[in-house]
Amino acid sequence: MSEVVVLGAGADGLVAAHLLARAGHRVTVVGEKSASRITAGWVPGSLAREVGLSVLEERPDPWLRAPLAAGGVLELSRDTAGTVQSIRRVSPRDAERWPRFAERMGALARLLEGLYVEPPPSLLDLRFALRVRRLGREAMEDLMRFLPMPAAELLDDWFESDALKGALATFAVRGLQQGPRSAGTAFLLLHHHVGNPAGVFRPPRTDLGSQLAARKSITLQDAAVAHIAVKAGRVAEVLLERGPTLRADTVVSTLHPQRTLAELVEPGWIDPELLRALRNIRGRGVAITMEMELERAPDFSTLTLAPSLNYVERAYDDVKYRQPSAQPWLDVVVQGKRAEVHCQYVPDGAPRAVAAVTKMLAPHLPPIAEARVLPHGGEPHQAELALDQALWMRPVPDLAGYRTPIDGLWLGGPAMHPGIPGVCGYNCARQILRKA
């Protein structure tokens, strides 16, 4: 029985730990017990089966609700007919085009689903080429055209309603220091479609981390990592800031690749060119998350304030110059009297944003009793989910297969392919077991 140490107690670390424990390894997870256990993202059926879970998902419906300037709201539901009916009130032309748009985006999302539960393909991978070919000519053309495209151009091609295009654009730039007119943002819109019914772009929230944290088949060490010891090119031990030294045959790090390889590992084991590439991974953090307590529960579960493509693009303009947006776009998910607000573009926390965001939301929510910025922030995926940091380039090409240059040291955190919580750790653990 080998000794495995997993660094990080989030969804990726817990998934990797339990898969390796089920394979007979002795696993210790090092991380904060208070780490967030609710994840936002698709949980593949194969992952749930292999860790023996029945994952509970929160999928609000309507999944998007946007106030209209002339009064009323635009609601996009999981039911295509309901979405068409709502869109028809703002644009009969867009309502007619919505089912076809949803169908074509859905076909491409299903291709990504297959690619996301295995190591990223290379451009020379014939299996990837065959999968794309099976989609048919129209979908092949869509894929080649959509991926490098600005989301604004994609949405302008399909729709005329400012309200519809603005609301959808937020899913193309969520977490990115880019605006919807930036090249490659159509990819992120497609990425958020993965695991969803056709025409739905909001990732579900799940209790994957909570369920795994409650299991007893692994040891959870509430501590911070000080050092990863390497002997003769192979991992040997993990030293904690406080606590015992852990012997390790295998280490799975879900920490940022730069912290893992440039700070925790002894100098000299990593090639300078790789270190340079690690330093250039983009993860700039352009959003804050706020939590609000409401005096009463509203009669809706989502709210998006992004009235047009131009509005979202102008919100991005400020952050290009390291300034918080004067008019950020907001996305709200409500559960009872509690509202969680994604606020973008607001870098570095920007405490003064609380008053501005509260003022923006006041006309749309019941009275707000309390509002605060949640302590976690920055880049939730460690590396931005931009097209040049995706698939076989995530986070950098030399590390895309979860292996590092040090034997026994693997990367399984959110900076890795495909950037979905839990799935990165799942793919990494399966690669370890295949190499065993």
Side-chain angles (χ1 to χ4, degrees):
M1 180 183 293
S2 68
E3 298 287 345
V4 176
V5 177
V6 176
L7 309 182
D12 287 307
L14 292 171
V15 167
H18 283 285
L19 278 177
L20 294 170
R22 286 165 74 94
H25 300 281
R26 185 182 292 111
V27 182
T28 300
V29 177
V30 178
E32 296 181 5
K33 291 183 179 179
S34 59
S36 175
R37 305 302 189 202
I38 301 300
T39 60
W42 170 56
V43 178
S46 57
L47 187 162
R49 287 191 297 273
E50 287 185 44
V51 296
L53 292 181
S54 178
V55 178
L56 297 177
E57 295 181 331
E58 297 173 6
R59 293 180 178 267
D61 196 22
W63 64 269
L64 188 147
R65 182 180 188 274
L68 300 172
V73 294
L74 172 67
E75 293 185 329
L76 306 186
S77 7
R78 300 186 180 281
D79 170 53
T80 301
T83 295
V84 168
Q85 183 177 354
S86 181
I87 295 175
R88 186 171 287 117
R89 290 194 285 270
V90 297
S91 169
R93 176 184 176 277
D94 289 356
E96 182 180 346
R97 294 174 69 85
W98 178 261
R100 184 65 177 141
F101 171 76
E103 177 188 342
R104 288 170 70 169
M105 293 294 282
L108 297 180
R110 287 191 291 274
L111 170 68
L112 290 188
E113 287 172 17
L115 298 178
Y116 280 6
V117 290
E118 56 189 38
S122 74
L123 285 171
L124 301 178
D125 192 327
L126 293 178
R127 292 172 301 173
F128 174 61
L130 288 172
R131 284 182 178 179
V132 174
R133 187 172 182 178
R134 289 192 197 106
L135 293 174
R137 179 173 177 174
E138 182 180 69
M140 288 172 62
E141 291 173 350
D142 281 346
L143 182 67
M144 296 299 105
R145 184 165 176 263
F146 283 8
L147 290 185
M149 201 175 190
E153 291 185 12
L154 170 67
L155 296 171
D156 280 339
D157 274 0
W158 281 90
F159 306 117
E160 63 183 9
S161 164
D162 283 340
L164 177 60
K165 291 188 289 185
L168 289 175
T170 64
F171 291 93
V173 296
R174 191 175 181 114
L176 286 184
Q177 190 171 320
Q178 291 180 300
R181 302 193 188 284
S182 300
T185 48
F187 162 73
L188 188 56
L189 182 64
L190 181 60
H191 172 88
H192 285 312
H193 200 324
V194 167
N196 276 319
V200 177
F201 296 90
R202 183 182 297 279
R205 291 160 62 91
T206 76
D207 66 344
L208 173 66
S210 299
Q211 289 199 44
L212 290 174
R215 291 189 168 181
K216 306 299 182 186
S217 54
I218 60 174
T219 301
L220 181 57
Q221 186 86 25
D222 191 357
V225 183
H227 186 61
I228 299 172
V230 180
K231 296 179 181 179
R234 182 171 186 84
V235 292
E237 296 174 331
V238 173
L239 286 70
L240 307 181
E241 288 186 359
R242 290 186 301 274
T245 295
L246 303 175
R247 188 179 73 80
D249 301 300
T250 301
V251 173
V252 179
S253 177
T254 66
L255 309 178
H256 195 290
Q258 183 176 342
R259 171 155 171 71
T260 303
L261 296 175
E263 299 175 20
L264 296 179
V265 169
E266 298 164 358
W269 290 111
I270 307 300
D271 184 89
E273 282 300 305
L274 178 55
L275 290 175
R276 182 188 61 79
L278 290 170
R279 285 193 293 270
N280 289 325
I281 294 173
R282 296 191 316 282
R284 294 166 285 193
V286 293
I288 59 171
T289 302
M290 293 174 57
E291 187 175 76
M292 295 183 173
E293 294 295 330
L294 309 177
E295 292 187 4
R296 66 175 186 277
D299 60 358
F300 55 84
S301 55
T302 66
L303 175 70
T304 300
L305 299 186
S308 69
L309 280 170
N310 285 341
Y311 180 99
V312 179
E313 186 70 25
R314 284 195 298 268
Y316 163 61
D317 285 342
D318 289 329
V319 84
K320 286 189 292 188
Y321 306 104
R322 301 183 184 276
Q323 298 294 322
S325 174
Q327 286 191 298
W329 64 261
L330 308 176
D331 185 65
V332 185
V333 177
V334 181
Q335 286 187 316
K337 296 182 179 180
R338 178 181 169 275
E340 186 175 288
V341 185
H342 176 93
C343 178
Q344 189 172 322
Y345 301 83
V346 184
D348 303 322
R352 65 182 180 275
V354 174
V357 172
T358 301
K359 183 177 180 180
M360 290 176 65
L361 289 174
H364 306 285
L365 293 175
I368 299 167
E370 182 184 358
R372 65 188 183 95
V373 177
L374 295 181
H376 58 81
E379 172 49 59
H381 302 100
Q382 296 178 348
E384 289 179 18
L385 276 164
L387 184 58
D388 66 323
Q389 293 187 160
L391 300 170
W392 51 84
M393 296 176 286
R394 185 163 184 85
V396 296
D398 287 348
L399 299 174
Y402 311 98
R403 268 185 184 273
T404 75
I406 297 169
D407 286 346
L409 178 58
W410 298 76
L411 300 173
M416 308 306 292
H417 170 78
I420 297 176
V423 185
C424 307
Y426 172 66
N427 287 346
C428 178
R430 292 202 302 164
Q431 281 295 97
I432 294 170
L433 295 174
R434 286 173 184 155
K435 302 296 182 184

